[in-house]
């Protein structure tokens, strides 16, 4: 993936435009919306025996979590991801080689489960963002994010050198994420930096000087004016949760070994 490495950043960030097709983008967005309709019907008429995922409304965005939220102890209850999220994204992620030699491995080769097992779906309306933050120790230090619907600019902040863990006041780098693009952050960029999205309706300074990944964009012409109004954006964040608990094994005694 050397050709996808984001220049000027630590060599642990990769950007790939058009990672999924427009049809695949539409299918994922339609499926996420359809499940919300099913949840509404279930709430009204108790159609389904198992709980269905729904949007969780936060102050500046809303989200869905698959296969489930983590427990307070940062543990994932073992369950497969739905096919509409895993296909075709995960096979495509695992096909990305980290080196030029055969057998050099992919971005999840060193993760405990060798593939993502958790997906966050965040929806941001124009003007919404998220405060600079770290993803934390619950995950293997690889994040693969696909943007759907609209572009966004991700701000990357370095930590201060005083050991306080606090971030610098201004972002050190900015990364433009186009619709259907993939951004991978890992290693040093995951451990030693924070990332956030400014709360603005219009992104500015969209040019080679203002964006770390300008020369990797798929359609520079869409940003030739240097400014771009945001639309509604949905992000898919794929990660490998380190601690997974299989409830089936843990509760097997309840059935006295019978099936």
């Amino acid at each position: 993936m050397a050709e996808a490495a984001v220049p000027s950043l630590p060599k642990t960030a990769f950007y790939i435009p058009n990672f999924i097709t427009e049809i695949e983008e539409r299918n994922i967005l339609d499926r996420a919306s359809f499940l919300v309709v099913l949840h509404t019907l279930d709430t009204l008429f108790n159609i389904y025996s198992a709980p269905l995922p729904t949007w969780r409304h936060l102050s500046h965005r809303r989200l869905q979590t698959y296969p489930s939220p983590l427990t307070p102890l940062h543990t994932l209850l073992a369950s497969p991801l739905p096919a509409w999220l895993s296909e075709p994204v995960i096979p495509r992620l695992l096909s990305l080689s980290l080196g030029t030699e055969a057998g050099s491995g992919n971005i999840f080769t060193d993760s405990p489960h060798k593939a993502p097992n958790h997906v966050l779906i965040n929806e941001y309306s124009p003007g919404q963002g998220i405060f600079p933050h770290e993803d934390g120790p619950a995950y293997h230090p690889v994040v693969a994010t696909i943007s759907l619907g609209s572009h966004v600019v991700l701000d990357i902040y370095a930590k201060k050198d005083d050991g306080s863990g606090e971030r610098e006041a201004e972002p050190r780098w900015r990364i433009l994420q186009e619709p259907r693009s993939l951004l991978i952050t890992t290693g040093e960029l995951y451990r030693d930096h924070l990332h956030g999205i400014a709360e603005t309706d219009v992104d500015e300074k969209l040019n080679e000087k203002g964006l770390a990944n300008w020369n990797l964009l798929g359609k520079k012409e869409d940003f030739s004016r240097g400014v771009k109004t945001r639309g509604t954006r949905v992000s898919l964040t794929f990660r490998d949760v380190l601690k997974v608990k299989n409830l089936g094994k843990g509760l097997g005694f309840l059935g006295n070994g019978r099936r």
Side-chain angles (χ1 to χ4, degrees), residues 128-144:
Q128 292 184 328
I130 186 169
F131 194 75
H133 64 282
E134 299 175 78
D135 286 338
Y139 309 96
H140 180 72
V142 172
V143 181

Side-chain angles (χ1 to χ4, degrees), residues 2 5-6 10 12 32 42 57 65 68-69 72 84 93 101 105 117 139 141 168 187 201-202 205 238-239:
V6 180
T12 52
D42 185 36
H57 291 264
T65 309
S68 63
W84 60 273
L93 285 174
E101 299 179 1
N117 59 11
Y139 309 96
E168 296 176 347
D201 294 297
V202 180
K205 299 180 181 179
F238 291 79
R239 291 177 289 203

Side-chain angles (χ1 to χ4, degrees), residues 27-202:
N27 286 343
I28 293 171
L29 290 173
D30 286 348
R31 189 59 186 265
S33 298
F34 179 64
L35 287 174
V36 174
V37 173
L38 289 183
H39 184 276
T40 301
L41 292 173
D42 185 36
T43 300
L44 293 173
F45 304 111
N46 195 28
I47 298 172
Y48 304 99
S49 60
L52 290 166
T54 186
W55 290 109
R56 177 186 173 197
H57 291 264
L58 304 178
S59 57
H60 299 286
R61 69 190 193 282
R62 62 178 187 164
L63 66 84
Q64 295 181 39
T65 309
Y66 293 90
S68 63
L70 302 189
T71 71
L73 297 178
H74 305 299
T75 299
L76 177 67
L77 303 181
S79 183
L81 290 169
W84 60 273
L85 278 175
S86 60
E87 297 285 346
V89 172
I90 291 180
R92 211 168 286 172
L93 285 174
L94 300 183
S95 72
L96 298 175
S97 176
L98 287 175
T100 57
E101 299 179 1
S104 57
N106 61 63
I107 59 172
F108 285 98
T109 294
D110 294 331
S111 76
H113 307 101
K114 309 302 181 186
N117 59 11
H118 191 258
V119 181
L120 283 182
I121 302 180
N122 282 286
E123 182 190 77
Y124 297 89
S125 297
Q128 292 184 328
I130 186 169
F131 194 75
H133 64 282
E134 299 175 78
D135 286 338
Y139 309 96
H140 180 72
V142 172
V143 181
T145 303
I146 297 174
S147 292
L148 309 176
S150 180
H151 81 283
V152 78
V153 172
L154 185 73
D155 296 323
I156 307 293
Y157 294 83
K159 294 180 181 178
K160 293 181 178 179
D161 294 330
D162 58 9
S164 65
E166 296 181 0
R167 64 175 174 88
E168 296 176 347
E170 298 296 327
R172 186 169 292 189
W173 302 285
R174 300 166 72 232
I175 300 174
L176 174 61
Q177 295 174 255
E178 299 167 283
R180 299 176 297 282
S181 67
L182 169 68
L183 176 65
I184 299 170
T185 55
T186 181
E188 179 184 342
L189 201 62
Y190 183 99
R191 295 189 306 269
D192 301 332
H193 297 78
L194 294 80
H195 55 279
I197 298 171
E199 295 181 346
T200 182
D201 294 297
V202 180

